[in-house]
Amino acid sequence: MRVIGIDPGLRNLGWGVIEVAGSRLSHVANGIIHSEGADLAARLLSLHAALTRIFAEHAPDAAAVEQTFVNKDGAGTLKLGQARGVAMLVPAQAGLAVGEYAPNAVKKAVVGVGHADKAQIAHMVRYQLPGVDLAGPDAADALAIAICHAHHLQSAGRLAAALKGAA
Protein backbone atom coordinates (compact mmCIF):
# COMPACT_ATOMS: atom_id res chain seq x y z
CA MET A 1 0.00 0.00 0.00
CA ARG A 2 1.25 3.49 -0.83
CA VAL A 3 0.55 6.30 1.60
CA ILE A 4 1.02 10.00 0.86
CA GLY A 5 1.43 12.52 3.64
CA ILE A 6 0.83 16.20 2.97
CA ASP A 7 2.09 19.11 5.07
CA PRO A 8 -0.04 22.01 3.81
CA GLY A 9 1.40 25.45 3.28
CA LEU A 10 0.50 28.28 0.95
CA ARG A 11 4.06 29.01 -0.17
CA ASN A 12 5.64 25.59 0.51
CA LEU A 13 3.55 22.42 0.56
CA GLY A 14 5.48 19.35 1.65
CA TRP A 15 4.60 15.89 0.39
CA GLY A 16 5.98 12.42 0.96
CA VAL A 17 5.06 8.96 -0.30
CA ILE A 18 5.90 5.73 1.50
CA GLU A 19 5.28 2.07 0.73
CA VAL A 20 3.81 -0.08 3.51
CA ALA A 21 4.33 -3.85 3.42
CA GLY A 22 3.19 -5.38 6.71
CA SER A 23 5.16 -3.56 9.38
CA ARG A 24 7.90 -2.54 6.93
CA LEU A 25 7.97 1.05 5.68
CA SER A 26 10.02 2.24 2.72
CA HIS A 27 10.51 5.61 1.09
CA VAL A 28 9.11 6.17 -2.40
CA ALA A 29 9.43 9.93 -2.99
CA ASN A 30 9.21 13.32 -1.29
CA GLY A 31 9.35 16.96 -2.20
CA ILE A 32 8.15 20.48 -1.70
CA ILE A 33 5.74 22.28 -3.98
CA HIS A 34 6.53 25.99 -4.17
CA SER A 35 3.36 27.83 -5.16
CA GLU A 36 3.49 30.31 -7.99
CA GLY A 37 1.36 33.32 -8.82
CA ALA A 38 0.77 36.91 -7.89
CA ASP A 39 -2.43 36.39 -5.93
CA LEU A 40 -4.02 33.81 -3.64
CA ALA A 41 -6.16 32.19 -6.35
CA ALA A 42 -3.16 31.66 -8.63
CA ARG A 43 -1.11 30.19 -5.76
CA LEU A 44 -3.91 27.77 -4.85
CA LEU A 45 -4.29 26.76 -8.49
CA SER A 46 -0.56 26.07 -8.80
CA LEU A 47 -0.65 23.92 -5.63
CA HIS A 48 -3.61 21.97 -7.01
CA ALA A 49 -1.98 21.37 -10.39
CA ALA A 50 1.34 20.24 -8.90
CA LEU A 51 -0.26 17.98 -6.28
CA THR A 52 -2.51 16.44 -8.95
CA ARG A 53 0.61 15.58 -11.00
CA ILE A 54 2.20 13.95 -7.93
CA PHE A 55 -0.93 11.83 -7.40
CA ALA A 56 -0.89 10.76 -11.05
CA GLU A 57 2.80 9.84 -10.87
CA HIS A 58 2.84 7.98 -7.53
CA ALA A 59 -0.75 6.59 -7.35
CA PRO A 60 -1.15 6.52 -3.56
CA ASP A 61 -3.72 4.21 -1.96
CA ALA A 62 -4.16 6.31 1.18
CA ALA A 63 -3.67 9.97 2.10
CA ALA A 64 -3.21 12.02 5.25
CA VAL A 65 -3.02 15.76 5.89
CA GLU A 66 -1.85 17.66 8.94
CA GLN A 67 -4.56 19.64 10.69
CA THR A 68 -4.25 23.41 10.82
CA PHE A 69 -3.26 24.94 14.11
CA VAL A 70 -4.65 28.36 14.95
CA ASN A 71 -2.03 30.99 15.68
CA LYS A 72 -2.19 34.67 16.56
CA ASP A 73 -2.35 35.77 12.92
CA GLY A 74 -5.94 35.12 11.88
CA ALA A 75 -5.35 36.08 8.24
CA GLY A 76 -2.36 33.72 8.03
CA THR A 77 -4.36 30.90 9.58
CA LEU A 78 -7.15 31.45 7.05
CA LYS A 79 -4.71 31.33 4.12
CA LEU A 80 -3.14 28.15 5.50
CA GLY A 81 -6.63 26.70 5.78
CA GLN A 82 -7.21 27.39 2.10
CA ALA A 83 -3.98 25.59 1.18
CA ARG A 84 -5.12 22.74 3.43
CA GLY A 85 -8.38 22.66 1.46
CA VAL A 86 -6.38 22.03 -1.73
CA ALA A 87 -4.38 19.34 0.12
CA MET A 88 -7.65 17.59 0.99
CA LEU A 89 -9.34 18.18 -2.37
CA VAL A 90 -6.75 16.41 -4.51
CA PRO A 91 -6.92 13.08 -2.60
CA ALA A 92 -10.71 13.31 -2.58
CA GLN A 93 -10.68 13.79 -6.36
CA ALA A 94 -8.57 10.60 -6.55
CA GLY A 95 -11.27 8.76 -4.58
CA LEU A 96 -9.28 8.49 -1.34
CA ALA A 97 -10.45 9.07 2.20
CA VAL A 98 -8.19 11.58 3.94
CA GLY A 99 -6.76 10.99 7.40
CA GLU A 100 -6.31 14.14 9.46
CA TYR A 101 -3.80 14.40 12.28
CA ALA A 102 -2.92 17.13 14.74
CA PRO A 103 0.75 18.18 14.64
CA ASN A 104 1.34 16.82 18.16
CA ALA A 105 -0.17 13.43 17.22
CA VAL A 106 2.21 13.16 14.25
CA LYS A 107 5.21 14.08 16.41
CA LYS A 108 4.21 11.58 19.08
CA ALA A 109 3.76 8.78 16.52
CA VAL A 110 7.14 9.40 14.86
CA VAL A 111 9.36 10.82 17.60
CA GLY A 112 7.62 9.57 20.74
CA VAL A 113 6.90 13.01 22.18
CA GLY A 114 4.29 15.53 21.10
CA HIS A 115 6.50 18.61 21.23
CA ALA A 116 9.45 17.53 19.07
CA ASP A 117 11.24 20.11 16.94
CA LYS A 118 11.82 19.90 13.18
CA ALA A 119 15.34 18.50 13.58
CA GLN A 120 14.06 15.63 15.75
CA ILE A 121 11.31 14.87 13.22
CA ALA A 122 13.80 14.80 10.33
CA HIS A 123 16.15 12.55 12.35
CA MET A 124 13.42 10.02 13.14
CA VAL A 125 12.12 10.05 9.56
CA ARG A 126 15.67 9.25 8.39
CA TYR A 127 15.86 6.49 11.02
CA GLN A 128 12.54 4.93 9.98
CA LEU A 129 13.18 5.33 6.24
CA PRO A 130 16.90 4.50 5.83
CA GLY A 131 18.59 6.13 2.86
CA VAL A 132 15.93 8.80 2.40
CA ASP A 133 17.13 12.08 0.89
CA LEU A 134 14.85 14.74 2.37
CA ALA A 135 13.88 17.65 0.13
CA GLY A 136 13.60 19.86 3.23
CA PRO A 137 11.79 20.25 6.56
CA ASP A 138 8.34 20.43 4.95
CA ALA A 139 8.98 17.15 3.11
CA ALA A 140 10.24 15.55 6.34
CA ASP A 141 7.03 16.64 8.07
CA ALA A 142 4.97 15.19 5.20
CA LEU A 143 6.77 11.84 5.46
CA ALA A 144 6.12 11.91 9.23
CA ILE A 145 2.41 12.42 8.49
CA ALA A 146 2.50 9.44 6.10
CA ILE A 147 4.24 7.30 8.75
CA CYS A 148 1.66 8.34 11.37
CA HIS A 149 -1.18 7.42 9.00
CA ALA A 150 0.44 4.07 8.17
CA HIS A 151 0.62 3.24 11.89
CA HIS A 152 -3.04 4.15 12.35
CA LEU A 153 -4.09 2.09 9.32
CA GLN A 154 -2.13 -0.91 10.64
CA SER A 155 -3.74 -0.57 14.07
CA ALA A 156 -7.21 -0.33 12.53
CA GLY A 157 -6.49 -3.43 10.42
CA ARG A 158 -5.35 -5.43 13.45
CA LEU A 159 -8.43 -4.34 15.39
CA ALA A 160 -10.75 -5.35 12.54
CA ALA A 161 -9.02 -8.74 12.28
CA ALA A 162 -9.31 -9.29 16.03
CA LEU A 163 -13.00 -8.39 16.02
CA LYS A 164 -13.62 -10.71 13.06
CA GLY A 165 -11.78 -13.52 14.87
CA ALA A 166 -13.81 -12.96 18.04
CA ALA A 167 -17.10 -13.12 16.14
Side-chain angles (χ1 to χ4, degrees):
M1 173 177 54
R2 281 194 173 188
V3 179
I4 187 167
I6 304 169
D7 181 29
L10 184 57
R11 295 197 182 276
N12 300 309
L13 183 144
W15 62 273
V17 180
I18 61 172
E19 187 82 31
V20 182
S23 62
R24 188 170 166 268
L25 304 178
S26 58
H27 174 258
V28 175
N30 73 89
I32 301 170
I33 300 169
H34 304 287
S35 65
E36 299 173 356
D39 61 6
L40 178 62
R43 286 185 176 280
L44 294 172
L45 179 61
S46 74
L47 291 175
H48 182 271
L51 195 54
T52 299
R53 283 191 299 274
I54 290 162
F55 267 72
E57 180 179 347
H58 296 290
D61 303 300
V65 176
E66 189 172 70
Q67 291 176 340
T68 302
F69 61 92
V70 178
N71 58 30
K72 294 175 185 168
D73 177 19
T77 301
L78 182 60
K79 288 178 184 175
L80 177 59
Q82 292 168 326
R84 188 172 176 275
V86 170
M88 294 186 72
L89 174 64
V90 173
Q93 288 176 320
L96 301 180
V98 181
E100 300 178 67
Y101 299 96
N104 286 351
V106 173
K107 292 173 184 177
K108 188 161 187 163
V110 175
V111 180
V113 293
H115 295 287
D117 63 27
K118 291 215 178 254
Q120 290 172 305
I121 293 167
H123 174 75
M124 289 307 292
V125 166
R126 284 188 187 96
Y127 179 77
Q128 293 185 43
L129 303 171
V132 66
D133 183 16
L134 297 173
D138 297 313
D141 288 351
L143 285 167
I145 294 161
I147 292 168
C148 177
H149 193 51
H151 291 322
H152 279 79
L153 291 173
Q154 290 170 338
S155 296
R158 286 191 293 270
L159 177 61
L163 291 173
K164 184 178 179 183

